Amino acid sequence: MDDLKAHEVIRRAEDLIETGDCQAAYDLLLPLLAEGRSEAMFLYAQFSISRLETDDEFELRSFKLLQQASERGYAPATYALGVCFEMGDLVEQDIIRASGLYKSASDSGYPKAKLIHGLNLFYGSLGVPKDEAQGLALVKQAIAEGVEGAAEALDLIKAAGQGGT
């Protein structure tokens, strides 16, 4: 399937998931999954059709799909894996691995990862060496890209008397 058609299918599947019609979304995604499309893997990792799998099977499939999409360079999946490792969700908690995944997704331009990696840099958290200037720059990029919570994060930095203007 060409990229434009695949993009249309993904958007339609997202709409179906939002309305709760996961079976129809799955049916739409099947050809893209067969092609190994990272965006389809990422989307399918986010929902389950309970009659097809148990909760444990869903969690295993979800994590594997996130890994595959991330290995193919899909930054939203890399970010999602970072969240899994930071929270210990589906895997044993590993904040160092989480911070590396956030950095990778940020370096790939993923806006949500820019916020998290920027905060890690600014505060020197999750094992990331402190670099306030670079961290602040990433937080500001996240604001410019409309990331929810980014402006509030900058406000907190400023309220603490950090981060300049």
Side-chain angles (χ1 to χ4, degrees):
M1 182 177 308
D2 68 55
D3 289 344
L4 182 59
K5 176 71 173 163
H7 182 74
E8 291 172 10
V9 168
I10 292 290
R11 295 302 153 245
R12 178 69 182 128
E14 287 173 335
D15 291 344
L16 288 166
I17 292 164
E18 196 169 302
T19 64
D21 195 349
C22 293
Q23 179 64 57
Y26 174 72
D27 293 341
L28 272 179
L29 291 174
L30 273 175
L32 298 177
L33 292 166
E35 290 178 13
R37 297 262 183 164
S38 299
E39 194 171 0
M41 289 177 196
F42 175 71
L43 192 55
Y44 185 39
Q46 297 175 42
F47 69 90
S48 177
I49 302 169
S50 60
R51 66 178 173 75
L52 297 180
E53 61 193 351
T54 66
D55 288 347
D56 288 341
E57 290 169 335
F58 164 67
E59 288 177 356
L60 181 61
R61 175 183 57 78
S62 177
F63 190 75
K64 285 182 179 182
L65 286 170
L66 289 176
Q67 285 181 308
Q68 290 172 349
S70 177
E71 288 167 3
R72 289 180 163 100
Y74 191 63
T78 302
Y79 171 82
L81 278 177
V83 173
C84 290
F85 279 101
E86 181 181 2
M87 299 297 144
D89 186 22
L90 307 176
V91 293
E92 187 173 328
Q93 186 179 34
D94 184 341
I95 61 171
I96 301 304
R97 183 137 183 224
S99 66
L101 290 163
Y102 290 143
K103 179 185 184 318
S104 178
S106 175
D107 290 348
S108 294
Y110 189 59
K112 288 181 181 180
K114 288 180 183 181
L115 173 60
I116 300 302
H117 184 57
L119 292 171
N120 288 340
L121 283 166
F122 187 84
Y123 291 111
S125 54
L126 291 187
V128 176
K130 191 171 189 169
D131 184 337
E132 288 184 2
Q134 185 180 8
L136 195 57
L138 286 172
V139 170
K140 288 178 179 180
Q141 286 176 32
I143 292 168
E145 295 177 34
V147 175
E148 187 176 329
E152 294 81 359
L154 182 59
D155 289 344
L156 288 173
I157 289 170
K158 288 179 180 180
Q162 302 171 300
T165 58

